[in-house]
Amino acid sequence: MKAARMKTPRRPVPKKPSNPCVKDPVGVYCRVRPLSRPDQECCIEVIDETTVQIHPPEGYRIFRNGEYRETQYSFKEVFGTLVVQKQLFDVVAKPLVEDLIRGKNGLLFTYGVTGSGKTHTMTGSPGDGGLLPRCLDMIFNSIGPFQAKRFVFKLDDKNGVDVQCEVDALLERQKRDAMPIPKTPSGKRQIDPEFADMINVQDHCKVEDVDEDNVYSVFVSYIEIYNNYIYDLLEEAPFEPIKPKPPQSKILREDQNHNMYVTGCTEVEVKSTEEAFEVFWRGQKKRRIANTQLNRESSRSHSVFIIKLAQAPLDADGDNVLQEKEQITLSQLSLVDLAGSERTNRTKAEGNRLREAGNINQSLMTLRTCIEVLRENQMYGTNKMVPYRDSKLTHLFKNYFDGEGKVRMIVCVNPKAEDYEESLQVMRFAEMTQEVEVARPADRPICGLTPGRRFRNQAFREELQRKLEMRGGPINEETEEQAVSELLLQNFPPLPSCELLDINDDQTLPKVIEVLEKRHKLRQMLSEEIAKTVHAFKTVLQEFDSSVVSKENYIQGKLSEKEKTIAGQKMELERLEKKIKTLEYKIHILEKTATIYEEDKRNLQQELESKSQQLQRQASDKRRMEARLQGMVTETSVKWEKECERRVAAKQLEMQNKLWVKDEKLKQLKAIVTEPKNEKPERPSRVRDREKPVQRSVSPPPAPSAPPVRLRHRRSRSAGERWVDHKPPSNVPTETVMQPQVPHAITVAAASEKALAKCDKYMLTHQELASDGEIETKLIKGDVFKTRGGGQAVQFTEIETLKQESPTGRKRRSSPSNPDPPEDAADSEWTDVETRCSVAVEMRAGSALGPGYQHHAQPKRRKP
Ligand code: ADP
Ligand code: MG
């Protein structure tokens, strides 16, 4: 180790016996905070006073051979959830305060993730002061009676300290008091009750055997490191209400003793715990304001509260400070509340914040790296460069690790399962840190120089003791007071005898005068002391009073504030009630309107429905009418078409017939002209035949080869066809030879379903009187079908008309009144060529008929 590193800061080198061999490891303590909710899953258990066990929570458990990993970490001491602040203070911080008062440096920091209790441990909560107020309390309890007057010690801007005599200090004090107080937001110093609660530690903890021959002064400074910038939290910037200036960052410098310090940092001399904590609170407020105004994440900044203690010996009389700069000792205790150690992604920071957070993380990373390198150097004797300069945080504390002093770290952990991974990282860091060693500062002899006050005080204490013992009896406050006053009187020089026996006695009176003067002087001194004490007491009383008053004022203020709030809320309530009433009325009106509208809607809907029904009805009527008209039109047109067709066909046939008859007549004529006379004997049979009426079709007979009207295709009637021969009983027997004969027919008198079921053809013989008075027989034929319903249907296919005509029909037609002409008349007519021709024609035509028919028929296609 280099000699320079061994120096205790501020202490003149020759006076300090350095102790380069002794080193202490960094004291790492662990504090486990209680879970915020009892139902939270816990992943850290305190095993004993020095061990904690961390296990993965349910979700994380890594199973290895059926068992999950539990890890144990050891610390110098572990503080469980039930440990109170005082216990922690006694173990961790008290030794640091003792060291401070003995002129040694110390560094105490809290490390852990956000919410793990770092601030709770360092600052505390209202009513439960943390390490910082307790340290202050202990310092002032210890040095209280030995404090120097304000401004006796003066810090310079190079991290050094100077001393001045009490008179100069008094002058400076007066000068400062005369100066107008700068108007700052914190200018009005009012004690915050929350803060008052925190410093009310009432431990009366103090360092024993404080060097009474020294005078002491405490200076505090408070800085914040955010985004690798250092800000002075106590800087009194002039108050600018419109646009407050953003805080200016500070730079780090190294003093002649290689200690790092923040240049231009405000250092406030404080004389009591309250004053010191008030200064801290001021900085804390400023920090909060800055965080809000600049939208910072407070958990990402490191805060450093530095307590500097200057001490210098009194002169040999024990009355005045020794005016020697080299004799001044300046020690410092840094209390650091580090930023949350969690990784960035946990807080889901974005943009600027992420970058800033990255830098903060960077400083913690640098801290880790520094610790790692230090450990490596120490363990393996390597000489790697420790990267202190990589971050402001590590740079500021370089001297603690490289120089000497006590370094202590409290690792704060929240045992909740969500923090498991982060807690694991914290544990690992803690484990590593414990292996780093820091040189132990050398002890300084107490009262080595000018033990005047000590000796005087010691002598007084001894004398008092002796006196009390001599008196005997019980020792209580009263007896002690008596003894003290006796001792004080005793200290008064005894009066010599004042009796003047000799007129020339010029010794007694001067002696008496001398003694009296001495006594007077002593009295004056005592009364001065009393006045001082009274003054001090009055000050304390006044402070207490003002604190009580301010508390009262605060409470009053709060009360009136609350009252105002209540009144405001009442008014608001009334307003809201009124509003509710108005709204209710509106709702009522709206409901009514809605009902009316609904009724209207219903009526309109009904109307609409009836109208649409009416419309539908009209439309269907229209459709029906249209259909009927359409039907009538088509019917009429079909009827007329048919009629026309029929007439045309009849005319055609008639004409063809006429033509054919003429042809035949011509042929007959030709035959008659050419045939021999012996063929005549055939005539009688013919005549016989002709005696019976000959049936003749009204329609012209078909041509033998190509009939003028196309015959309908007929199926073979012989093959399995069965006919129903329907002959109504009203029919008149015609007795012609050419009766319609249907083989295998079932003859019925009325339409019979039974018969129809057996047959597949149907024929109705229908008779009516023709216009010429002859009976006209119509054979209406059709096909029988089975209907789907199981009945029978007849589709008429053709109608044959048979007409009976007498060979003398023409005559008959001319004289219908003579229905029975004489037979010889016929004979007479046999010679008539025309008649003969027509008979011949009929015979031929009859022979041309199809099977089963012995009459001349001209089928007519009829579709039903
Ligand atoms: P950090 O500074 O690490 O972010 P805080 O100190 O602000 O965490 O703690 C977060 C909350 O937990 C605070 O409300 C604090 O009062 C509470 N807390 C922390 N540690 C303890 C403890 N040991 N006992 C009781 N409450 C605690
Ligand atoms: Mg905190």
Side-chain angles (χ1 to χ4, degrees):
M1 273 282 167
K2 288 184 232 163
R5 284 185 182 173
M6 295 296 101
K7 280 187 280 184
T8 304
R10 303 284 79 70
R11 191 166 290 280
V13 182
K15 276 199 274 169
K16 193 193 68 184
S18 56
N19 191 4
C21 304
V22 187
K23 278 187 165 196
D24 294 314
V26 173
V28 182
Y29 300 83
C30 177
R31 185 180 203 187
V32 183
R33 63 158 281 186
L35 289 169
S36 25
R37 280 180 290 110
D39 60 317
Q40 274 184 318
E41 195 189 346
C42 176
C43 69
I44 297 174
E45 274 102 35
V46 179
I47 301 291
D48 57 40
E49 277 170 13
T50 58
T51 319
V52 289
Q53 179 170 288
I54 180 162
H55 63 78
E58 285 301 326
Y60 284 82
R61 289 190 176 181
I62 309 152
F63 283 84
R64 277 192 182 173
N65 305 327
E67 280 179 41
Y68 65 87
R69 253 194 321 181
E70 292 166 335
T71 330
Q72 292 196 347
Y73 290 91
S74 296
F75 295 90
K76 196 160 180 188
E77 199 161 333
V78 172
F79 302 97
T81 53
L82 300 176
V83 172
V84 294
Q85 304 273 46
K86 176 163 166 49
Q87 273 172 281
L88 190 79
F89 172 77
D90 285 345
V91 176
V92 185
K94 210 170 163 181
L96 292 174
V97 176
E98 283 166 358
D99 272 10
L100 179 81
I101 287 170
R102 289 187 190 123
K104 300 175 199 171
N105 293 344
L107 169 66
L108 172 63
F109 57 93
T110 49
Y111 184 90
V113 301
T114 300
S116 60
K118 298 184 297 295
T119 308
H120 177 80
T121 300
M122 194 54 89
T123 312
S125 314
D128 195 15
L131 300 180
L132 192 143
R134 282 171 201 275
C135 283
L136 290 171
D137 188 56
M138 184 175 174
I139 291 167
F140 286 103
N141 282 344
S142 311
I143 62 159
F146 317 120
Q147 284 196 77
K149 293 259 159 51
R150 224 179 271 267
F151 302 124
V152 165
F153 288 105
K154 279 181 78 185
L155 297 180
D156 60 23
D157 55 358
K158 291 188 185 71
N159 209 26
V161 67
D162 228 332
V163 67
Q164 62 183 356
C165 70
E166 285 199 15
V167 179
D168 290 344
L170 181 73
L171 283 174
E172 193 167 338
R173 243 181 357 255
Q174 283 171 350
K175 207 163 71 189
R176 297 259 176 134
D177 287 347
M179 275 201 320
I181 304 161
K183 204 170 183 282
T184 62
S186 54
K188 202 178 102 198
R189 304 243 164 108
Q190 205 188 35
I191 295 168
D192 207 319
E194 187 190 341
F195 132 91
D197 257 0
M198 251 190 242
I199 52 167
N200 195 15
V201 283
Q202 287 181 348
D203 256 1
H204 310 298
C205 184
K206 60 193 258 184
V207 179
E208 298 304 328
D209 49 81
V210 177
D211 194 341
E212 292 169 35
D213 283 305
N214 279 357
V215 281
Y216 301 83
S217 265
V218 178
F219 297 86
V220 292
S221 49
Y222 193 19
I223 58 164
E224 179 183 37
I225 303 176
Y226 185 86
N227 193 22
N228 213 22
Y229 288 112
I230 300 178
Y231 300 102
D232 180 2
L233 291 174
L234 302 181
E235 198 167 37
E236 297 259 357
F239 182 52
E240 279 164 73
I242 313 288
K243 193 170 177 265
K245 268 191 201 162
Q248 295 293 302
S249 63
K250 303 278 177 202
I251 54 165
L252 280 180
R253 285 233 176 91
E254 197 174 326
D255 68 9
Q256 53 179 357
N257 291 324
H258 308 291
N259 287 324
M260 298 309 300
Y261 70 99
V262 181
T263 45
C265 179
T266 315
E267 289 174 301
V268 184
E269 188 175 3
V270 285
K271 290 291 167 205
S272 66
T273 312
E274 289 77 13
E275 205 186 336
F277 199 70
E278 201 247 57
V279 171
F280 167 77
W281 205 246
R282 186 150 41 102
Q284 193 74 352
K285 271 187 185 166
K286 201 162 173 178
R287 190 178 168 203
R288 266 186 233 163
I289 292 166
N291 283 341
T292 320
Q293 279 177 351
L294 306 172
N295 189 27
R296 290 186 195 160
E297 180 74 60
S298 66
S299 69
R300 298 240 154 245
S301 72
H302 315 281
S303 72
V304 185
F305 189 73
I306 302 166
I307 306 168
K308 278 184 181 172
L309 182 70
Q311 48 185 305
L314 287 168
D315 60 15
D317 287 344
D319 289 334
N320 289 307
V321 189
L322 210 64
Q323 297 293 306
E324 283 175 41
K325 195 180 172 176
E326 306 78 53
Q327 297 302 332
I328 310 169
T329 306
L330 189 64
S331 50
Q332 77 173 49
L333 172 63
S334 301
L335 301 175
V336 187
D337 186 358
L338 286 177
S341 68
E342 63 274 5
R343 280 159 290 186
T344 332
N345 62 358
R346 208 176 91 136
T347 49
K348 308 239 172 352
E350 281 172 15
N352 265 350
R353 279 212 180 182
L354 182 73
R355 219 170 32 252
E356 289 166 9
N359 274 335
I360 291 151
N361 251 15
Q362 195 58 46
S363 52
L364 282 182
M365 284 263 286
T366 312
L367 178 67
R368 269 175 239 165
T369 318
C370 289
I371 296 277
E372 222 167 296
V373 176
L374 271 170
R375 176 173 148 269
E376 215 179 300
N377 283 348
Q378 289 173 5
M379 283 176 86
Y380 309 112
T382 50
N383 200 12
K384 271 194 191 170
M385 213 218 15
V386 185
Y388 294 115
R389 282 166 189 275
D390 285 3
S391 85
K392 293 281 194 296
L393 182 76
T394 47
H395 201 191
L396 184 62
F397 299 124
K398 168 178 171 284
N399 197 249
Y400 284 105
F401 293 102
D402 257 4
E404 54 182 44
K406 245 190 203 128
V407 181
R408 292 196 163 181
M409 174 167 90
I410 301 171
V411 165
C412 296
V413 283
N414 188 341
K416 66 173 177 181
E418 290 93 317
D419 276 1
Y420 168 72
E421 276 190 15
E422 296 297 345
S423 298
L424 214 59
Q425 298 293 328
V426 170
M427 295 289 179
R428 285 179 191 146
F429 174 65
E431 199 171 46
M432 190 173 67
T433 310
Q434 291 187 85
E435 289 172 5
V436 172
E437 292 187 327
V438 176
R440 185 190 297 177
D443 282 330
R444 188 181 61 102
I446 291 176
C447 125
L449 203 68
T450 55
R453 182 155 71 185
R454 171 176 296 273
F455 285 167
R456 217 168 53 198
N457 288 349
Q458 189 61 35
F460 183 81
R461 274 195 292 267
E462 276 167 13
E463 189 60 21
L464 188 69
Q465 194 62 36
R466 202 172 51 80
K467 226 178 170 74
L468 285 170
E469 274 167 15
M470 265 170 59
R471 276 169 158 242
I475 300 171
N476 53 31
E477 247 176 60
E478 208 180 308
T479 52
E480 209 177 296
E481 224 169 79
Q482 270 178 15
V484 168
S485 52
E486 267 174 36
L487 208 64
L488 283 172
L489 280 178
Q490 196 185 307
N491 276 352
F492 274 50
L495 267 182
S497 154
C498 329
E499 259 177 277
L500 282 174
L501 300 172
D502 188 357
I503 193 124
N504 292 326
D505 189 355
D506 54 353
Q507 287 211 343
T508 312
L509 271 179
K511 256 188 201 165
V512 169
I513 287 166
E514 195 194 339
V515 167
L516 281 176
E517 267 176 357
K518 264 191 188 167
R519 280 194 166 208
H520 179 67
K521 219 178 173 181
L522 244 164
R523 198 175 171 279
Q524 260 184 339
M525 257 171 64
L526 280 175
S527 56
E528 250 175 51
E529 203 118 312
I530 285 171
K532 255 196 243 169
T533 319
V534 164
H535 179 71
F537 184 70
K538 265 187 185 167
T539 322
V540 171
L541 213 67
Q542 267 171 1
E543 263 173 27
F544 181 73
D545 258 10
S546 68
S547 98
V548 165
V549 166
S550 72
K551 246 190 188 174
E552 225 177 73
N553 284 348
Y554 173 79
I555 289 168
Q556 282 282 327
K558 273 260 153 114
L559 220 72
S560 61
E561 223 172 74
K562 287 265 173 313
E563 269 166 10
K564 262 186 212 162
T565 322
I566 288 170
Q569 280 173 348
K570 262 187 192 164
M571 261 163 64
E572 180 69 11
L573 216 72
E574 273 167 24
R575 196 180 62 77
L576 288 175
E577 267 170 13
K578 264 186 202 163
K579 207 174 173 182
I580 287 171
K581 266 183 197 159
T582 328
L583 287 175
E584 270 173 0
Y585 179 69
K586 271 187 189 168
I587 288 170
H588 179 69
I589 300 263
L590 285 173
E591 271 173 359
K592 267 190 182 168
T593 322
T595 331
I596 292 169
Y597 280 149
E598 257 166 33
E599 207 159 300
D600 277 3
K601 191 181 142 195
R602 261 200 306 278
N603 290 344
L604 286 172
Q605 261 173 351
Q606 274 174 6
E607 210 172 301
L608 193 77
E609 267 167 35
S610 65
K611 282 258 153 82
S612 67
Q613 273 173 5
Q614 215 172 320
L615 270 175
Q616 271 175 1
R617 263 203 309 277
Q618 280 175 355
S620 67
D621 281 357
K622 201 177 137 195
R623 270 200 303 279
R624 262 207 308 279
M625 188 75 87
E626 264 174 15
R628 213 162 55 213
L629 286 175
Q630 193 76 39
M632 269 157 74
V633 165
T634 41
E635 211 174 283
T636 320
S637 64
V638 164
K639 213 161 92 186
W640 279 107
E641 260 172 35
K642 276 179 188 164
E643 185 58 27
C644 287
E645 259 174 39
R646 196 183 58 78
R647 285 187 187 176
V648 166
K651 204 77 196 167
Q652 222 175 352
L653 274 172
E654 199 186 312
M655 298 310 285
Q656 274 177 350
N657 208 21
K658 274 182 183 167
L659 205 70
W660 183 76
V661 167
K662 269 186 184 151
D663 275 359
E664 274 306 299
K665 274 180 184 170
L666 276 173
K667 275 184 200 163
Q668 294 267 326
L669 214 61
K670 219 175 171 178
I672 291 167
V673 171
T674 54
E675 95 185 10
K677 290 277 187 204
N678 57 0
E679 277 182 18
K680 242 186 166 175
E682 278 186 14
R683 278 177 66 195
S685 64
R686 274 197 178 190
V687 170
R688 244 174 282 139
D689 276 348
R690 285 176 57 108
E691 277 170 358
K692 294 194 174 168
V694 177
Q695 276 184 329
R696 226 187 97 181
S697 169
V698 276
S699 12
S705 50
V709 178
R710 192 163 57 89
L711 275 172
R712 188 173 169 247
H713 167 75
R714 287 170 198 248
R715 276 188 290 155
S716 161
R717 281 196 169 99
S718 56
E721 271 181 1
R722 284 205 77 182
W723 286 83
V724 173
D725 190 3
H726 180 185
K727 283 193 176 125
S730 58
N731 278 8
V732 181
T734 49
E735 291 168 11
T736 58
V737 281
M738 299 180 103
Q739 288 292 338
Q741 273 185 15
V742 192
H744 317 297
I746 301 171
T747 308
V748 290
S752 150
E753 210 187 317
K754 240 184 186 172
L756 279 175
K758 289 175 192 162
C759 305
D760 46 9
K761 288 282 182 183
Y762 172 85
M763 183 170 75
L764 169 70
T765 311
H766 173 70
Q767 285 183 334
E768 62 188 21
L769 214 59
S771 52
D772 56 0
E774 292 294 340
I775 287 175
E776 195 179 71
T777 306
K778 279 187 177 159
L779 298 179
I780 303 162
K781 299 178 194 169
D783 297 330
V784 179
F785 296 99
K786 300 245 184 299
T787 60
R788 270 192 215 151
Q792 318 295 326
V794 177
Q795 188 182 19
F796 292 104
T797 50
E798 59 184 61
I799 298 173
E800 281 176 34
T801 309
L802 308 176
K803 203 167 175 187
Q804 219 170 21
E805 200 174 84
S806 142
T808 55
R810 207 181 288 187
K811 271 186 189 167
R812 260 188 231 158
R813 269 194 298 271
S814 55
S815 55
S817 53
N818 187 16
D820 224 338
E823 267 189 29
D824 43 56
D827 251 340
S828 65
E829 275 193 23
W830 268 104
T831 50
D832 176 22
V833 174
E834 195 193 325
T835 312
R836 280 174 62 196
C837 286
S838 71
V839 171
V841 169
E842 275 167 12
M843 291 309 290
R844 282 181 72 113
S847 64
L849 280 172
Y853 288 86
Q854 291 175 6
H855 62 279
H856 179 189
Q858 170 63 49
K860 269 188 202 165
R861 273 181 72 203
R862 280 271 160 86
K863 273 254 154 100

